[in-house]
Amino acid sequence: MKKIFPLLLLFVMGFTIETGDEKVFANSKETTPYYEDHSVRVGYKTVDEAVSEFEKNCDCVVKLPAMIPDLKFTHEFGAYYKDHKDRQKDLLQIRFVNREQKNNIFKIDVRPSKVSYEGKEYTLQDGSKGIYVEHHIFHVFVFEKNNLQYIVRIDKNASDIDPSKALMDVANSVN
């Protein structure tokens, strides 16, 4: 045991000398946390970057909701997925998530093509129609504005808010 300790100490000192004066901590703010790093690796970027890319490729103007559900979010990400065969299937995705409260998820998908949904029909403030659907994971509201289809979703376990009202408020805030 006495011979191992000096060797271990020498190894640790050698490691410190090799790395110089730089200190590395597990919770360093200078490193990119896994959550953000993983999002970037799967194609997410800032919302502004994703919207700009979608608008440029689809030759359209995206109006994002002026309000989002009354939930706490720690992160927001965007992604643009281009369908090389059919531009009508291009997709803009925006995600609001909470690192600590995993069920606080709000999603906005925007696409140039229209996909039909079956559910309860609601009339928005501008007279347009929207469809509310209860999916097994999300509450979903689908509506059209500015020649684009919007699909907004809240996780079913997000909170005790009224999901249909919250999603209609979001839809009504798109001008």
Side-chain angles (χ1 to χ4, degrees):
M1 180 76 174
K2 288 183 181 181
K3 290 183 181 179
I4 293 175
F5 181 74
L7 287 174
L8 182 60
L9 183 61
L10 183 59
F11 174 77
V12 171
M13 286 175 52
F15 181 77
T16 304
I17 292 168
E18 261 185 57
T19 61
D21 292 334
E22 182 179 327
K23 295 180 182 178
V24 179
F25 299 99
N27 292 325
S28 174
K29 291 185 180 192
E30 294 182 26
T31 62
T32 304
Y34 169 79
Y35 200 76
E36 289 82 353
D37 184 51
H38 176 71
S39 297
V40 169
R41 280 187 278 126
V42 297
Y44 284 98
K45 51 188 82 173
T46 70
V47 171
D48 289 340
E49 289 172 324
V51 168
S52 178
E53 195 175 347
F54 180 81
E55 289 177 331
K56 179 182 170 193
N57 284 285
C58 293
D59 193 30
C60 63
V61 176
V62 174
K63 302 286 185 172
L64 292 178
M67 66 174 302
I68 60 174
D70 191 21
L71 298 169
K72 292 184 194 258
F73 299 110
T74 58
H75 297 80
E76 62 182 59
F77 304 105
Y80 165 63
Y81 296 100
K82 182 176 184 154
D83 187 313
H84 295 284
K85 294 179 184 175
D86 184 356
R87 290 182 64 183
Q88 288 298 308
K89 293 183 180 175
D90 286 2
L91 178 66
L92 170 65
Q93 293 183 330
I94 299 171
R95 303 295 183 251
F96 295 85
V97 296
N98 187 310
R99 177 183 229 141
E100 289 80 33
Q101 296 173 324
K102 303 293 184 204
N103 292 326
N104 279 12
I105 300 172
F106 173 60
K107 299 179 177 188
I108 303 170
D109 290 348
V110 182
R111 59 175 29 130
S113 64
K114 313 304 190 256
V115 177
S116 332
Y117 287 83
E118 290 185 23
K120 184 173 180 182
E121 189 174 285
Y122 286 85
T123 302
L124 298 174
Q125 290 172 348
D126 66 1
S128 64
K129 303 290 183 193
I131 303 292
Y132 176 74
V133 180
E134 286 201 27
H135 184 265
H136 67 281
I137 299 174
F138 287 96
H139 297 280
V140 182
F141 195 75
V142 182
F143 61 98
E144 295 177 19
K145 295 275 185 152
N146 310 313
N147 296 316
L148 295 170
Q149 184 178 54
Y150 290 75
I151 301 108
V152 291
R153 299 173 177 94
I154 298 175
D155 187 292
K156 274 200 162 186
N157 300 311
S159 177
D160 55 351
I161 62 174
D162 178 354
S164 60
K165 181 182 178 333
L167 292 173
M168 278 194 46
D169 288 346
V170 168
N172 281 319
S173 75
V174 176
N175 294 320

